Amino acid sequence: MKKIIKKILFIGLIIFLLMQLYQPTRNESFEQDITGNFTKVYNVPKNVEIILRTSCYDCHSDNTNYPWYSYIQPVRFFMDGHINEGKKELNFNEFGNYSNRKQENKLDRIKKQIKKDEMPLKSYTLIHRNAILSTTQKREILDWINKIEDSISSQN
């Protein structure tokens, strides 16, 4: 019985080590067209931009700040899944390329998710404690989004 357990552990270790050889491309874009970037399209106030970069941009932009543990598989696999899903839902680097209607919908979703404490994800804030939004930060974002929505509506 002990030999079987040792073999299983050895095979598991070999598989784990082989998994480390797979390091997919990182979500880091050094050459980007910044004209579509959310912060350039709407001239985001510095305080709101800092909040968004700290709490949202790792999963919702073309540039993720990867922590040390992102080099370990299968952790990286799960991180990439979150990042890809996040960018599919909302990419702050592409925001200016969205239609006005899509921008309005995205801003409305951001507001709803912030109000319900759905974003940032609990799995993200578990490790990234600085990404947790305080009541003041939520209010700053929500107030600013309300102003932006008004300007988008007036363009229609």
Side-chain angles (χ1 to χ4, degrees):
M1 185 69 165
K2 287 184 180 181
K3 282 187 174 189
I4 292 174
I5 292 174
K6 283 183 180 180
K7 280 184 180 182
I8 291 172
L9 289 175
F10 180 74
I11 291 170
L13 177 65
I14 297 298
I15 291 171
F16 176 77
L17 292 174
L18 288 173
M19 286 173 60
Q20 304 318 304
L21 297 175
Y22 176 66
Q23 292 294 321
T25 305
R26 293 180 170 273
N27 183 44
E28 298 170 323
S29 177
F30 299 107
E31 296 178 22
Q32 9 177 334
D33 175 17
I34 62 167
T35 57
N37 191 307
F38 185 74
T39 60
K40 302 300 178 207
V41 172
Y42 291 112
N43 194 22
V44 179
K46 199 66 175 168
N47 62 324
V48 174
E49 182 179 350
I50 290 169
I51 295 167
L52 294 175
R53 288 191 185 279
T54 302
S55 299
C56 310
Y57 268 52
D58 276 349
C59 294
H60 295 285
S61 78
D62 292 331
N63 288 295
T64 299
N65 291 317
Y66 285 94
W68 65 268
Y69 53 83
S70 68
Y71 290 95
I72 302 170
Q73 292 292 9
V75 174
R76 175 66 180 285
F77 173 77
F78 293 116
M79 285 179 67
D80 284 346
H82 281 286
I83 292 166
N84 291 334
E85 175 136 353
K87 283 176 60 174
K88 186 175 78 178
E89 290 299 319
L90 169 67
N91 186 340
F92 284 109
N93 293 116
E94 298 292 326
F95 198 86
N97 300 327
Y98 297 163
S99 68
N100 283 353
R101 182 177 176 166
K102 187 172 183 177
Q103 288 180 15
E104 286 180 284
N105 288 336
K106 295 298 181 186
L107 290 170
D108 187 56
R109 293 262 333 228
I110 291 169
K111 284 186 351 184
K112 287 178 180 174
Q113 290 182 333
I114 287 174
K115 287 178 183 177
K116 292 180 181 178
D117 286 325
E118 293 177 353
M119 285 289 159
L121 293 174
K122 301 292 183 223
S123 59
Y124 182 75
T125 59
L126 184 67
I127 296 172
H128 301 91
R129 305 303 291 167
N130 63 332
I132 297 172
L133 296 173
S134 69
T135 304
T136 304
Q137 290 173 319
K138 289 178 188 178
R139 179 61 29 222
E140 289 176 29
I141 293 171
L142 295 174
D143 288 347
W144 185 76
I145 287 176
N146 287 332
K147 289 178 190 173
I148 294 303
E149 285 180 320
D150 292 343
S151 73
I152 294 173
S153 295
S154 67
Q155 292 174 6
N156 292 337

